[in-house]
Amino acid sequence: MSEREQIKKSTPQRREAEIEQSPSNTEQGEELKAELTDLLDEIDEVLESNAEDFVKSYIQKGGQ
Amino acid sequence: MTVPKICGIETEYGIIHNGVEDSNPVVASSLLINSYLVEMARSGEGGPAVGVSWDFEDEMPGNDIRGITPLDSLAPEVETHLVNSVLTNGSRYYVDHAHPELSTPECSNALDVTLYDKAAELILIRSMEAAANVLPPEQELVVYKNNSDGKGNSYGCHENYLMSRDTPFAQIVTHTTAHLVTRQIFTGSGKVGSEAPAMSTGDVPFQITQRADFFEEEVGLETTLRRPIINTRDEPHADALRYRRLHVITGDANMSEIATFLKVGSTAIVLAMIEDDVLPREHRFASPVQAMRQVSYDVSLTQPLELADGTTATALEIQWDLLDQARKYANSHGLDSVGGEIAETVIERWEQVLTLLESEPMSLADQLDWIAKYQLLQGLSQRHGLSPTDARLRTLDIQYHDLRPHKSVAARVGLQTLLTTEQAKVAIANPPSDTRAYFRGQCLKRWSSNIVSANWDSLVFDLGEDCLRRMPLADPNQGAASHVDDLLAGCESATELLQRFSKSN
């Protein structure tokens, strides 16, 4: 779509900035992975322990 | 011509009463809200307008914007016997259809709506704590900010936008449908499985929105059955000759502030463009209802949607077109009607989000609910080798929306914020300053003992005379601090206010 091309052309600065950052991408990737592992550890702790029962008992009346 | 896009959000929350057999959601919701009202009155922190009830005088949910009410349409019932309170920030907090519901005050821009939506979360959290103080220790009320129980029961998060009565309704329908169907790619809160007829988790392991499964019509009056993409409820809560209120029922309740901000901000701009008649191209779907689900089921964001003219477009392509039109509109007409500088930041964010949805969608896990949830579900599945139907995945889905701070999953995923908790705390008791909600809120703060009831477009005063006095607030744009602060400052009492008011009218 032509409109889409125009939008992208109007933001060349941002695109270049992204490319310049690329050498650190793998490092960032590792960091993100570590963050997700920590987050999943936390989720495992906080998640309702009896999942089957919890899901079964989560019943709502229909609303709007 | 466009009118200022005064807007707000009303959210029905899921509620569970733990520790009782045969719990009743209406009782639980009433208990939740009453506990809050009592506790806030006791603590003196402000928030509820004590002793002021909601006034149903102008509630007409059966009015149809199309001017006729089809005989087979079921107009929503107005439940007057349940808890119904007014807050000094201009909100309404009440029981609706077996759910606690909070309607934000009228706001002039998307950031204020986001602020009052966040304040609403704090109010619900405080309500759970207040209920815990009155319930036996083995019982607990738990509130979820989601839109479905995964068993085919849905409850809404509705948006409202002030529109000009002059705009032909047919013009609103086509363009708004295009936006409501395609904006799902950033407004969705994500859901495990499908609740559409004849669909299962096997067919749809995960979808972008909570609500898409529940839309069966293109245009209609219902909100609880056969839900339409465009709702025709014609209840402007304002001068009906000048205004309509577009009641948008397709949206998900968002935990992410960015998602709420973009949802309301982009929609307000699209509606202003419709009113100013600047949209050159119609994206008319061959089947809007089917398109709604197709977009929600397509996490790859690449599926072409069939258009009525025989061509196709993806949701992203239609969003890029709307964004491009919004940029042009900002240049040609300005954005004063949709929040000025705040609308400019809406357009910037809108572009950033579309760019990332196209290039690296998973990098939006700290901005969009469906992506945050999707990433967690994938992570949990891989870690424990779960099948798509494992109950732990549904548990994670539901618990993402748990408002209890010690249980909320959304609170743990590092979502970006636009506002501080301090700002939201102030908003619990104080109205926005630039709509009629300001006048309502200030009157409730100062003279609640003289106010019998309130609603969106009036206040009813009891000045100890033979009859009650109704003060109309017919225009949502009037009553801002800049208009009424001098008047309010000069009045010692409600009696004085009404005397001055009747002199000037």
Side-chain angles (χ1 to χ4, degrees), chain B residues 19-30:
Chain B
V20 286
E21 282 182 28
D22 303 326
S23 65
N24 176 327
V26 180
V27 172
S29 302
S30 304

Side-chain angles (χ1 to χ4, degrees), chain B residues 362-441:
Chain B
M362 293 314 274
S363 68
L364 288 165
D366 61 350
Q367 296 193 55
L368 300 184
D369 288 311
W370 77 266
I371 295 177
K373 191 187 277 183
Y374 189 49
Q375 187 186 46
L376 283 181
L377 289 165
Q378 284 186 320
L380 198 73
S381 276
Q382 283 164 11
R383 171 177 281 202
H384 301 294
L386 306 179
S387 81
T389 54
D390 193 288
R392 274 172 285 183
L393 299 178
R394 270 292 298 151
T395 300
L396 175 59
D397 180 355
I398 297 167
Q399 212 178 317
Y400 183 86
H401 305 269
D402 190 329
L403 285 187
R404 292 172 298 177
H406 69 285
K407 281 289 189 182
S408 169
V409 169
R412 287 172 165 70
V413 297
L415 292 170
Q416 287 183 33
T417 56
L418 298 169
L419 298 151
T420 64
T421 305
E422 280 315 307
Q423 287 173 301
K425 281 183 182 164
V426 171
I428 286 177
N430 296 287
S433 64
D434 55 358
T435 67
R436 91 182 146 193
Y438 180 79
F439 185 75
R440 180 190 314 119

Side-chain angles (χ1 to χ4, degrees), chain B residues 230-267:
Chain B
I230 300 291
N231 184 268
T232 54
R233 182 184 296 186
D234 192 5
E235 200 186 10
H237 298 313
D239 180 352
L241 294 174
R242 293 174 63 198
Y243 299 119
R244 32 171 140 248
R245 171 179 62 118
L246 189 70
H247 190 55
V248 172
I249 67 170
T250 56
D252 284 2
N254 292 114
M255 301 303 293
S256 158
E257 290 175 26
I258 312 282
T260 299
F261 180 67
L262 263 186
K263 174 173 74 178
V264 174
S266 67
T267 305

Side-chain angles (χ1 to χ4, degrees), chain B residues 266-286:
Chain B
S266 67
T267 305
I269 294 171
V270 168
L271 296 176
M273 291 196 291
I274 293 169
E275 287 181 332
D276 278 326
D277 201 14
V278 298
L279 292 173
R281 181 185 306 180
E282 282 193 347
H283 301 283
R284 194 187 287 271
F285 297 111

Side-chain angles (χ1 to χ4, degrees), chain A residues 14-35:
Chain A
R14 191 172 298 133
R15 302 238 143 201
E16 276 165 29
E18 276 168 23
I19 293 162
E20 273 168 32
Q21 282 171 5
S22 61
S24 61
N25 272 359
T26 29
E27 218 171 278
Q28 276 178 356
E30 289 303 314
E31 231 171 78
L32 284 175
K33 234 185 247 173
E35 273 175 28

Side-chain angles (χ1 to χ4, degrees), chain B residues 317-355:
Chain B
E317 282 169 342
I318 292 171
Q319 278 296 312
W320 277 118
D321 182 46
L322 290 170
L323 173 62
D324 186 43
Q325 297 305 331
R327 282 212 179 279
K328 288 179 185 158
Y329 179 71
N331 288 330
S332 62
H333 290 69
L335 296 171
D336 285 349
S337 69
V338 281
E341 282 174 18
I342 289 164
E344 285 170 29
T345 66
V346 168
I347 290 180
E348 279 163 34
R349 283 244 171 221
W350 194 356
E351 177 174 342
Q352 288 164 11
V353 163
L354 293 186
T355 303

Side-chain angles (χ1 to χ4, degrees), chain B residues 89-162:
Chain B
N89 71 1
S91 297
R92 177 184 178 196
Y93 187 25
Y94 56 117
V95 180
D96 193 28
H97 291 95
H99 296 274
E101 175 158 348
L102 199 147
S103 301
T104 69
E106 305 92 324
C107 298
S108 69
N109 64 77
L111 190 62
D112 277 356
V113 174
T114 311
L115 173 66
Y116 285 93
D117 186 59
K118 194 179 166 85
E121 282 183 23
L122 297 182
I123 289 168
L124 269 296
I125 291 170
R126 190 64 193 270
S127 302
M128 287 190 280
E129 293 164 357
N133 292 337
V134 297
L135 285 169
E138 71 279 7
Q139 289 186 30
E140 184 185 29
L141 295 179
V142 186
V143 174
Y144 297 84
K145 191 185 181 189
N146 60 4
N147 303 103
S148 121
D149 66 356
K151 300 170 180 72
N153 302 308
S154 184
Y155 31 102
C157 175
H158 299 176
E159 303 138 64
N160 297 294
Y161 301 90
L162 191 70

